[in-house]
């Protein structure tokens, strides 16, 4: 094997549950109160799979130059910066070109208007496919935080390999891969499909 060749390793000691992440919004406290009023509270609607994360009872409208999308769910708890995550299909409807980014990487991301209205000069992204792992999961898969891997997923009659999937490791995480609705539709996925991690070594 030459230096330019890589060995493909299929990791089979554990499967990865896959969750479909629909469009949503994270907000900071200042923007939340601007949008919903000083007497509002970020109240929990239902728990999410990652510990401490929840969908709130609040929804809002996001607007771009070509259209708008209603009933975008606000997630909690508060973030340090407001961030909206959508799919490429959503971006086309809005008439915007957000970058594919990891959550929190908002520098020079796309602008977006939240109806209030509240115009943010950055904060709109297409979330990069990623895997949440606890520390012991990362050890089992022999991967590190921010490592980029490929995941093979089998939907309803379709097999798809997603490349450039980022591993995120924290003691606060539960093992789960997150894909957006476009990625899920491409593979005809249902919630709780299982994926297989493939490493390039």
């Amino acid at each position: 094997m030459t230096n330019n060749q890589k060995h493909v390793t299929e990791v089979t000691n554990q499967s990865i549950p896959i969750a479909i992440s629909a469009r949503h919004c994270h907000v900071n406290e200042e923007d939340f109160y601007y949008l919903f009023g000083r007497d509002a509270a970020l109240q929990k609607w239902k728990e999410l799979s990652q510990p401490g994360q929840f969908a709130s009872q609040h929804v809002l409208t996001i607007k771009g130059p070509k259209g708008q999308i209603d009933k975008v769910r606000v997630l909690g708890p508060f973030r340090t910066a407001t961030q909206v995550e959508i799919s490429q299909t959503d971006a086309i409807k809005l008439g915007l070109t957000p970058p594919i980014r990891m959550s929190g990487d908002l520098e020079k991301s796309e602008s977006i208007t939240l109806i209030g209205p509240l115009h943010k000069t950055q904060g709109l992204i297409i979330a990069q496919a990623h895997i949440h792992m606890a520390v012991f999961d990362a050890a089992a898969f022999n991967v590190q935080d921010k490592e980029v891997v490929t995941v093979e997923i089998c939907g309803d009659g379709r097999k798809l390999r997603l490349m450039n999937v980022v591993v995120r490791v924290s003691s606060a995480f539960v093992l789960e891969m997150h894909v957006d609705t476009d990625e899920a539709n491409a593979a005809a996925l249902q919630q709780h499909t299982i994926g297989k991690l493939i490493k390039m070594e």
Side-chain angles (χ1 to χ4, degrees):
M1 185 166 59
T2 67
N3 291 334
N4 292 329
Q5 293 176 317
K6 290 185 177 181
H7 177 68
V8 178
T9 301
E10 191 175 280
V11 181
T12 59
N13 58 324
Q14 263 188 305
S15 57
I16 301 172
I18 300 174
I20 303 167
S21 182
R23 67 181 77 98
H24 59 272
C25 179
H26 302 280
V27 293
N28 62 25
E29 288 190 71
E30 180 182 359
D31 290 344
F32 175 80
Y33 292 124
Y34 181 91
L35 288 163
F36 298 106
R38 282 290 162 188
D39 295 329
L42 189 61
Q43 295 181 338
K44 187 182 300 180
W45 174 52
K46 66 177 181 179
E47 298 278 356
L48 299 179
S49 58
Q50 297 303 313
Q53 304 296 304
F54 61 91
S56 80
Q57 296 179 358
H58 294 277
V59 295
L60 47 73
T61 296
I62 57 175
K63 184 178 180 180
K66 290 187 177 180
Q68 67 182 41
I69 299 173
D70 301 323
K71 297 183 179 179
V72 178
R73 183 70 58 181
V74 176
L75 304 188
F78 290 125
R79 294 283 186 95
T80 56
T82 294
Q83 170 181 309
V84 182
E85 299 179 30
I86 62 173
S87 69
Q88 181 61 42
T89 299
D90 293 335
I92 293 170
K93 179 176 181 177
L94 294 170
L96 295 169
T97 55
I100 298 174
R101 295 273 184 85
M102 288 302 298
S103 179
D105 184 5
L106 303 181
E107 185 70 25
K108 296 182 179 179
S109 58
E110 182 63 279
S111 61
I112 185 65
T113 297
L114 285 61
I115 306 293
L118 174 63
H119 183 74
K120 305 293 290 185
T121 56
Q122 62 182 27
L124 180 66
I125 64 171
I126 296 172
Q128 186 168 355
H130 56 279
I131 306 170
H132 292 276
M133 289 189 183
V135 176
F136 64 86
D137 291 317
F141 280 104
N142 191 28
V143 293
Q144 298 178 353
D145 186 43
K146 299 182 181 178
E147 184 172 342
V148 178
V149 299
T150 295
V151 175
E152 183 177 276
I153 51 182
C154 294
D156 186 10
R158 292 181 179 177
K159 180 181 287 188
L160 181 72
R161 284 191 174 185
L162 282 181
M163 304 175 69
N164 299 322
V165 178
V166 178
V167 175
R168 302 180 62 189
V169 180
S170 169
S171 58
F173 289 160
V174 170
L175 181 65
E176 188 174 65
M177 178 176 172
H178 287 176
V179 299
D180 68 21
T181 51
D182 282 354
E183 292 160 334
N185 290 338
L189 294 186
Q190 301 296 321
Q191 287 283 18
H192 309 302
T193 300
I194 298 299
K196 185 180 297 181
L197 189 146
I198 298 171
K199 288 188 62 173
M200 302 297 292
E201 296 180 341

